[in-house]
Amino acid sequence: MGSFFLVDQSYKNFLDSIGVNGERVFKKAGIPYENIDDEGISINKEQYVSFMNSMETVTTNEHILKLSNVEELVLFVPPLFAAMCARNGMKCIERLATYKQLMGPFALTVVKHSHTLELAFVFDDYHTPIPRFTVLSEQVLIVAILRKATGMNIVPKKVSSLYEYGDEFEQYFGVKPHISEKNALSFDLADMQEPFLTANNTMWQYLEPELKKRIDELESDDSYAAKVRNKLIELIPGGAYTVDDVATDLGVSPRTLQRRLNVEKTTFIKQLNHTRELVARNYLKNESMSTDEVAFLVGYSDGNVFNRAFRSWTGQTVSQFKKKYNK
């Protein structure tokens, strides 16, 4: 993990959405607020921790519980979009855990037991104290995502942290939170396997008319390659887009899928890269998304690797594409 992390417009939008004075938070953390509107700014770990601590001083329980309205956040918080595009709770948590590692000095640890899945939120050094706002907001948000995506009233098996919660949190979670030396959020494994109803429809909120037109063209194309690309467009944001994943969704074996593509003189990898390019171009037109977030959404854990791939597809860098499109 790098030592600097990008803070951009999405952070500001997030604070506005829950009624927090963003300018006050940034200034208390010593982060130049006026630069957020441009490309965003890079901050070090100490500034990141200071930012989280500043959030603690200006927020209330009401602010935290507003995160349960996850549908209002998904439009400008790419990791939430990616999480809700997952197949189920297990895949959703995998996406969130990966994103945490990529975007800040913050980790979501996941431990699978025989009947439960236990999550904990920590800074990546595992000893810097996590502020109350950070722990409770992450716990509320994950429960909200699971409930919204499954259409079920998922109730955690356990909720705990170092901090007091309050009656309103017991009412929200459906279980009494406990004060503990370890922050934890655990769920029944069966609940984590419930299919997400949002897996195929959340993504459409992110697509520009141009890409929707291309999708319509794919649907009218009766080639097998078009069917594979159409399925990949649905699967890539959720992070499950291997040849096995696509074959399962198309109701064939991976060998049959590869054989049918070979008949059309193409391969799965070629169709995957073609689809990644198509989707990446769409996301990069959204000025509120950082390059790292776009990389994450199309399956790259490193922005530099994504930039090299994008250049091989298009003959131009991500910056050149953005500059040309947004002039």
Side-chain angles (χ1 to χ4, degrees):
M1 183 186 299
S3 56
F4 288 88
F5 313 99
L6 182 70
V7 174
D8 59 19
Q9 181 72 31
S10 64
Y11 284 81
K12 186 177 174 182
N13 293 340
F14 165 74
L15 296 176
D16 290 343
S17 73
I18 61 173
V20 173
N21 186 327
E23 183 173 7
R24 184 179 174 194
V25 175
F26 283 102
K27 287 187 174 179
K28 283 179 70 67
I31 300 172
Y33 181 77
E34 59 276 6
N35 293 343
I36 302 298
D37 285 332
D38 301 321
E39 289 288 320
I41 59 173
S42 293
I43 62 174
N44 59 30
K45 179 174 180 176
E46 290 69 30
Q47 288 174 308
Y48 190 100
V49 173
S50 178
F51 178 75
M52 291 292 117
N53 283 321
S54 296
M55 289 285 289
E56 172 69 15
T57 65
V58 300
T59 54
T60 65
N61 287 352
E62 182 182 0
H63 290 132
I64 296 172
L65 288 168
K66 281 186 177 179
L67 296 173
S68 62
N69 296 319
V70 67
E71 62 273 16
E72 296 180 11
L73 304 177
V74 72
L75 290 177
F76 55 82
V77 183
L80 301 190
F81 160 66
M84 293 183 73
C85 284
R87 291 180 183 273
N88 55 38
M90 290 294 296
K91 292 296 183 182
C92 165
I93 296 303
E94 288 175 12
R95 291 295 268 165
L96 289 174
T98 300
Y99 184 84
K100 293 298 181 189
Q101 295 170 4
L102 294 175
M103 306 310 293
F106 191 62
L108 169 58
T109 66
V110 182
V111 180
K112 187 176 180 180
H113 301 288
S114 56
H115 299 291
T116 60
L117 190 75
E118 184 171 281
L119 316 176
F121 308 93
V122 295
F123 281 120
D124 60 6
D125 59 13
Y126 291 90
H127 66 76
T128 300
I130 297 246
R132 179 178 183 272
F133 172 85
T134 306
V135 176
L136 271 61
S137 64
E138 292 286 350
Q139 292 177 338
V140 165
L141 195 52
I142 283 186
V143 172
I145 290 172
L146 293 174
R147 288 174 177 172
K148 177 65 177 178
T150 61
M152 300 171 60
N153 183 35
I154 302 292
V155 176
K157 302 292 288 184
K158 179 176 70 175
V159 182
S160 66
S161 76
L162 289 168
Y163 307 104
E164 292 279 356
Y165 281 83
D167 293 341
E168 59 265 62
F169 286 97
E170 180 177 353
Q171 182 177 356
Y172 174 72
F173 288 123
V175 63
K176 185 176 180 60
H178 294 282
I179 297 176
S180 169
E181 291 184 359
K182 177 182 178 183
N183 81 74
L185 180 65
S186 67
F187 298 96
D188 191 308
L189 276 180
D191 287 339
M192 303 304 287
Q193 298 295 341
E194 290 290 339
F196 275 19
L197 307 178
T198 55
N200 291 333
N201 58 47
T202 299
M203 65 169 292
W204 303 112
Q205 300 174 70
Y206 265 82
L207 303 185
E208 298 291 335
E210 178 185 341
L211 182 54
K212 290 180 181 177
K213 181 180 177 182
R214 296 289 294 276
I215 292 170
D216 289 340
E217 291 171 358
L218 282 176
E219 290 176 345
S220 63
D221 182 346
D222 62 359
S223 72
Y224 200 74
K227 290 181 175 62
V228 169
R229 292 197 302 275
N230 206 20
K231 185 55 63 178
L232 281 167
I233 287 172
E234 294 180 7
L235 296 179
I236 285 173
Y241 52 84
T242 66
V243 65
D244 289 346
D245 295 321
V246 175
T248 297
D249 268 35
L250 291 177
V252 299
S253 70
R255 181 175 294 182
T256 297
L257 183 149
Q258 297 275 26
R259 186 174 66 249
R260 290 179 180 177
L261 290 176
N262 288 338
V263 169
E264 296 179 1
K265 302 189 184 306
T266 187
T267 65
F268 178 77
I269 293 300
K270 286 181 179 178
Q271 296 309 311
L272 174 59
N273 287 335
H274 180 78
T275 309
R276 276 174 155 171
E277 176 190 346
L278 184 66
V279 175
R281 284 175 178 268
N282 174 77
Y283 293 148
L284 288 169
K285 294 173 185 177
N286 184 337
E287 295 184 68
S288 68
M289 281 193 191
S290 71
T291 299
D292 283 344
E293 287 172 331
V294 173
F296 171 71
L297 288 174
V298 296
Y300 288 90
S301 60
D302 185 294
N304 292 326
V305 175
F306 166 63
N307 210 332
R308 289 196 293 272
F310 189 81
R311 188 165 191 169
S312 73
W313 302 330
T314 66
Q316 57 188 323
T317 66
V318 169
S319 296
Q320 288 169 337
F321 176 83
K322 283 184 170 183
K323 185 175 181 181
K324 181 178 179 181
Y325 181 82
N326 295 317
K327 19 170 154 170

